[in-house]
Amino acid sequence: MPPPLVSRHPLVLHKLALLRDQSTEPRIFRALVRDLSKLLFYEATLDLDLEPVTVRTPLAECPSQRLAGQLGLVPILRAGLGMADAILELMPTAQVWHLGLYRDHQTLKPITYYNKLPARPTLDLAFVLDPMLATGGSAVAAIDILKGWGLTRLKFLALIAAPEGVETLRQAHPDVPIFLAALDSHLNADKYIVPGLGDAGDRQFGTTC
Ligand code: PRP
Ligand code: URA
């Protein structure tokens, strides 16, 4: 069970500070989520499978490589949407499968409200995307659903995690590598990540739920 990969890239650290800042407005917040998602995706894809291909340049044939297998993005609604949009720009052939989960405010347990996965899995590798890994309930529930669908190869990407969420996810799904921009201190009594950034969905979309 490898530990989560926490990026130390200077660009990630710089943009993370701006993302956390309570004065960052939704328009800038969304742009930062996009930038950070692409940087994190770069780190999470170093081991992608490749297959040989030959292309013809204007001068000669050139032995090259291309990505092998069908890759997929699974944003957890709603806050994962911004991550998926950004990553899709890097990997436009990815399939995107949405899962709708929210944390019930009383029980703090995840409630699934949207799942339109077809009967058979269509992916070789899926990247589950959610900016926040707090208690880990939503991530575990999403990966339970995806494994139940038949997926065997998954990676989980979050911008900020609490140690409690990482532990819960690693215990439930030790085979799923975790990639983070930051691993924070702890959860508060309301199970918000400290120092965190507040509510990732509200900050992206300018709402107060
Ligand atoms: C947030 C976040 C995660 C979840 C993390 O979503 O985007 O999905 O909380 O918390 P957990 O690790 O304790 O499950 P939220 O429930 O606020 O829904 P939203 O994206 O619709 O705002
Ligand atoms: N969900 C969020 O958006 N933020 C947190 O700190 C915890 C859960």
Side-chain angles (χ1 to χ4, degrees), residues 103 132 134 191-193 198-201:
R103 272 199 332 182
M132 309 304 272
K191 305 297 183 196
Y192 271 79
I193 301 172
D199 188 297

Side-chain angles (χ1 to χ4, degrees), residues 1 133-141 162-174 178 187:
M1 210 189 323
L133 176 61
T135 65
S138 304
V140 169
E164 296 90 327
V166 168
E167 194 49 33
T168 298
L169 180 51
R170 289 177 77 202
Q171 289 296 334
H173 295 294
I178 303 171
L187 295 174

Side-chain angles (χ1 to χ4, degrees), residues 163-205:
E164 296 90 327
V166 168
E167 194 49 33
T168 298
L169 180 51
R170 289 177 77 202
Q171 289 296 334
H173 295 294
D175 57 315
V176 177
I178 303 171
F179 297 86
L180 305 172
L183 180 57
D184 274 8
S185 163
H186 64 280
L187 295 174
N188 70 10
D190 296 322
K191 305 297 183 196
Y192 271 79
I193 301 172
V194 181
L197 52 71
D199 188 297
D202 284 348
R203 293 203 59 189
Q204 270 185 83
F205 299 115

Side-chain angles (χ1 to χ4, degrees), residues 11-145:
L11 275 176
V12 169
L13 300 180
H14 176 80
K15 287 174 185 286
L16 199 51
L18 298 170
L19 188 80
R20 291 182 190 275
D21 191 327
Q22 63 177 354
S23 68
T24 297
E25 63 187 80
R27 183 173 59 90
I28 307 296
F29 190 93
R30 286 192 295 272
L32 290 164
V33 167
R34 295 176 77 85
D35 291 350
L36 283 162
S37 300
K38 286 183 182 172
L39 291 166
L40 199 57
F41 189 66
Y42 180 82
E43 306 230 27
T45 48
L46 288 174
D47 64 347
L48 285 191
D49 296 333
L50 294 166
E51 61 190 14
V53 62
T54 302
V55 299
R56 173 169 285 283
T57 77
L59 302 181
E61 294 217 322
C62 176
S64 305
Q65 306 205 62
R66 68 178 173 204
L67 293 174
Q70 180 60 59
L71 305 178
L73 309 178
V74 183
I76 300 180
L77 306 179
R78 25 178 206 151
L81 281 174
M83 296 180 73
D85 280 354
I87 293 171
L88 208 47
E89 285 174 7
L90 282 179
M91 211 172 59
T93 55
Q95 293 181 7
V96 184
W97 294 100
H98 301 85
L99 285 181
L101 295 167
Y102 70 89
R103 272 199 332 182
D104 180 88
H105 282 285
Q106 303 301 323
T107 65
L108 300 172
K109 299 284 179 230
I111 311 286
T112 306
Y113 63 89
Y114 185 82
N115 172 0
K116 298 272 272 185
L117 297 174
R120 286 196 188 77
T122 55
L123 304 173
D124 298 302
L125 167 62
F127 296 86
V128 184
L129 310 173
D130 193 329
M132 309 304 272
L133 176 61
T135 65
S138 304
V140 169
I143 292 170
D144 284 345
I145 291 169

